[in-house]
């Protein structure tokens, strides 16, 4: 008994036992805490699973008996579009009513009260804005052609946002009746390029007469508006540039827009809407006409700001062919009247000028070309030898490495290009014959390509010379030489021989451009640098 009593009362043993029990108690406490935390998480998950599903809707406006004022009582209720119908719902006191703006998406609680504002919807249907109706509504057209009047969501009505305009593609919820966002790429932007071109008259060679004509027609009304009013003279509505391809029609139109911008002031207040003609065409009835309306609506909008606006239709014959010709699908029977309506509508907008370009002017409907619509017709002809000197000087500049003085190279190139070099002999219906040379088919685009070919030949020659150094004492020449230009001209001429329908008499009747001069036979010659046989085709 004494030994047992001594073992129990030993202080060292008691401390060890107490420490062991304390450690065990701490482990039990930690296990209990972990179990309690796990149970809390499971309970929270169960509560989340027990929460009923939420529905969403579009906030329309606060409910108020007086439509012209929103009192404190009206902030307790709101008009919401949800589940395909309009409902009047209560607003939870926990919701900040300043976040409830027209068009915002809201979350609804179990009792169909508004419990949260969730921002604006970023997905939905696309439509095209036709025109604004006041400041908070707009007329939009859906892809199926149906038109609706919708309201603008709050962000679109703010002062510093991008205001919607005619032709914009917008994100809409037609059932809720709201427009949420302007999609950056508009339909007009896909069809027309708005810009201030950087092309000037100095960049165009050999077209001085044509430039003077279009300056008189387009720029004088803007440069001297007082004189035009004094003489009661109205500026022309449109200009037609016609002539062979590659002779500078598009360059002239761009230079006009640039010159107008410089005349107005800071060089950024003129617009050049370059319409991509073939992309206007659409297989659905009425779509092409609607797109033409959008383009002119955009032009009117810009012109109202006092800015000169040029609407440029390149390859005009591809859209506005003569009606009833039977050459195409007769789509032009509705497209041409649409353009005529727009041209007549431009009458009150002196800041809008329509410029058309074509190399098949005989295919354009005569109603478009009559005075009062496209008033001025300017023929852009092929360059002669003097014009070619100016065009070569635009592309072959002193900054380009050459083996001879640039002026001398240009003279040699023009002399070689405009030498007697028969291309085709044409027999006309009256029995007369005409001999046409390669020089008769030169164009500004061809000259630009000749210079580019010569540059490439010079570069290849310089690379070869770098790989095979010249013998010691022999000077190596680098740069464009007259031989490069002659080789480039010959290459262009050979390609002309291979063009389709060059031996077709009907095509030559059009190419020579003289009414009544019907070609009945065309005999193609081979060039001096080609061994190709002669071609002879007759009707």
């Amino acid at each position: 008994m004494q030994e047992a009593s001594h073992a129990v009362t030993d202080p060292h043993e008691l401390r060890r036992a107490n420490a062991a029990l304390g450690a065990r108690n701490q482990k039990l406490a930690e296990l209990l805490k972990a179990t309690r935390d796990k149970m809390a998480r499971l309970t929270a998950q169960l509560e989340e699973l027990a929460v009923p599903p939420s529905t969403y809707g579009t906030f329309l406006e606060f409910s108020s008996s007086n439509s012209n004022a929103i009192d404190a009582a009206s902030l307790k209720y709101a008009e919401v579009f949800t589940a395909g119908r309009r409902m009047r719902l209560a607003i939870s006191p926990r919701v900040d009513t300043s976040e409830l703006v027209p068009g915002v998406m809201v979350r609804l609680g179990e009792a169909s009260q508004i419990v949260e504002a969730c921002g604006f919807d970023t997905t939905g249907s696309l439509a095209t804005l036709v025109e604004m109706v006041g400041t908070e509504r707009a007329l939009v057209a859906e892809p199926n052609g149906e038109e609706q009047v919708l309201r603008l969501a709050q962000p679109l009505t703010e002062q510093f946002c991008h205001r919607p305009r005619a032709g914009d593609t917008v994100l809409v919820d037609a059932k809720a009746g709201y427009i949420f966002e302007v999609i950056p790429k508009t339909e007009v932007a896909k069809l027309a390029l708005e810009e201030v071109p950087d092309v000037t008259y100095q960049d165009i060679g050999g077209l001085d007469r044509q430039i003077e004509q279009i300056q008189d027609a387009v720029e004088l009304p803007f440069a001297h508006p007082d004189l035009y009013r004094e003489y009661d003279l109205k500026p022309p509505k449109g200009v037609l540039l016609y002539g062979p391809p590659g002779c500078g029609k598009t360059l002239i139109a761009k230079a006009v827009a640039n010159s107008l911008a410089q005349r107005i002031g800071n060089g950024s207040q003129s617009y050049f809407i370059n319409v991509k003609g073939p992309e206007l065409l659409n297989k659905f009835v009425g779509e092409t006409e609607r797109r033409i309306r959008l383009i002119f609506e955009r032009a009117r909008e810009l012109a109202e700001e006092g800015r000169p606006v040029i609407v440029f239709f390149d390859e005009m014959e591809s859209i506005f062919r003569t009606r009833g010709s039977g050459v195409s699908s007769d789509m032009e029977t509705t497209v041409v009247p649409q353009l005529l309506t727009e041209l007549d509508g431009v009458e009150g907008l002196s800041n809008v000028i329509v410029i058309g370009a074509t190399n098949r002017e005989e295919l354009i409907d005569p109603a478009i070309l009559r005075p009062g619509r496209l008033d001025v017709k300017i023929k852009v002809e092929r360059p002669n030898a003097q014009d070619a000197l100016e065009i070569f000087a635009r592309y072959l500049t002193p900054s380009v490495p050459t083996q001879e003085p640039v002026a001398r190279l240009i003279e040699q190139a023009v002399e070689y290009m405009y030498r007697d070099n028969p291309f085709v002999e044409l027999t006309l219906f009256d029995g007369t014959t005409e001999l046409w040379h390669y020089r008769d088919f030169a164009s500004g685009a061809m000259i630009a390509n000749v210079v580019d070919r010569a540059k490439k030949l010079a570069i290849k020659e310089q690379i070869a010379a770098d790989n095979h150094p010249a013998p010691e004492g022999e000077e190596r020449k680098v740069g464009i030489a007259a031989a490069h230009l002659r080789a480039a001209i010959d290459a262009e001429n050979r390609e002309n021989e291979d063009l389709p329908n060059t031996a077709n008499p009907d095509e030559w009747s059009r190419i020579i451009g003289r009414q009544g001069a019907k070609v009945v036979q065309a005999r193609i010659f081979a060039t001096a640098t080609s061994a190709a046989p002669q071609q002879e085709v007759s009707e």
Side-chain angles (χ1 to χ4, degrees), residues 316-354:
M316 202 171 189
E317 78 285 351
S318 65
I319 320 170
F320 308 111
R321 286 177 174 257
T322 301
R323 288 169 288 182
S325 62
V327 176
S328 60
S329 60
D330 282 340
M331 168 270 303
E332 61 274 359
T333 55
T334 55
V335 174
V336 169
Q338 180 64 50
L339 177 64
L340 299 181
T341 302
E342 298 296 342
L343 288 175
D344 293 336
V346 175
E347 184 176 359
L349 299 176
S350 58
N351 290 338
V352 177
I353 296 290
V354 177

Side-chain angles (χ1 to χ4, degrees), residues 213-445:
Q213 286 181 280
I214 200 167
Q215 282 180 318
D216 292 344
V218 177
E219 296 190 28
L220 278 182
F222 292 100
H224 305 283
D226 296 336
L227 288 176
Y228 269 70
R229 283 193 294 267
E230 181 180 347
Y231 282 85
D232 193 20
L233 178 62
K234 295 181 180 179
K237 295 180 185 177
V239 178
L240 178 68
L241 300 171
Y242 67 98
C247 290
K249 297 184 292 295
T250 304
L251 283 179
I252 290 178
K254 290 185 176 182
V256 169
N258 182 281
S259 180
L260 282 175
Q262 301 301 328
R263 284 181 180 272
I264 294 299
N266 59 13
S268 62
Q269 297 182 352
S270 173
Y271 281 95
F272 182 78
I273 302 182
N274 185 14
V275 181
K276 305 170 185 177
E279 292 190 12
L280 283 174
L281 303 179
N282 192 288
K283 65 180 181 179
F284 295 106
V285 176
E287 273 298 294
T288 301
E289 295 86 335
R290 184 181 65 82
R291 293 178 177 185
I292 293 175
R293 287 197 303 271
L294 286 177
I295 289 171
F296 277 91
E297 180 67 27
R298 179 62 180 148
R300 292 189 184 96
E301 180 182 341
L302 295 173
E304 288 175 356
E305 303 173 4
R307 305 179 180 186
V309 180
I310 291 178
V311 181
F312 178 61
F313 288 94
D314 205 357
E315 306 297 340
M316 202 171 189
E317 78 285 351
S318 65
I319 320 170
F320 308 111
R321 286 177 174 257
T322 301
R323 288 169 288 182
S325 62
V327 176
S328 60
S329 60
D330 282 340
M331 168 270 303
E332 61 274 359
T333 55
T334 55
V335 174
V336 169
Q338 180 64 50
L339 177 64
L340 299 181
T341 302
E342 298 296 342
L343 288 175
D344 293 336
V346 175
E347 184 176 359
L349 299 176
S350 58
N351 290 338
V352 177
I353 296 290
V354 177
I355 298 181
T358 179
N359 55 10
R360 298 295 301 273
E361 64 278 2
E362 75 278 3
L363 298 180
I364 299 178
D365 193 281
I368 297 176
L369 304 180
R370 74 153 174 85
R373 287 168 180 158
L374 295 188
D375 307 83
V376 182
K377 289 87 175 173
I378 300 175
K379 184 174 183 179
V380 182
E381 299 175 337
R382 294 188 182 275
N384 56 29
Q386 184 60 39
D387 298 334
L389 289 173
E390 298 181 15
I391 299 173
F392 265 108
R394 298 298 192 278
Y395 297 101
L396 190 57
T397 61
S399 61
V400 178
T402 57
Q403 298 184 20
E404 301 180 44
V406 172
R408 175 58 183 158
L409 284 177
I410 292 176
E411 290 177 2
Q412 294 181 57
V414 172
E415 182 180 352
Y416 188 76
M417 177 179 286
Y418 283 82
R419 74 192 190 281
D420 288 342
N421 189 11
F423 180 21
V424 62
E425 183 183 68
L426 303 178
T427 302
L428 304 183
F429 185 76
D430 58 5
T432 60
T433 60
E434 294 184 4
L435 185 62
W436 288 58
H437 298 264
Y438 279 96
R439 61 172 175 260
D440 298 319
F441 304 97
S443 66

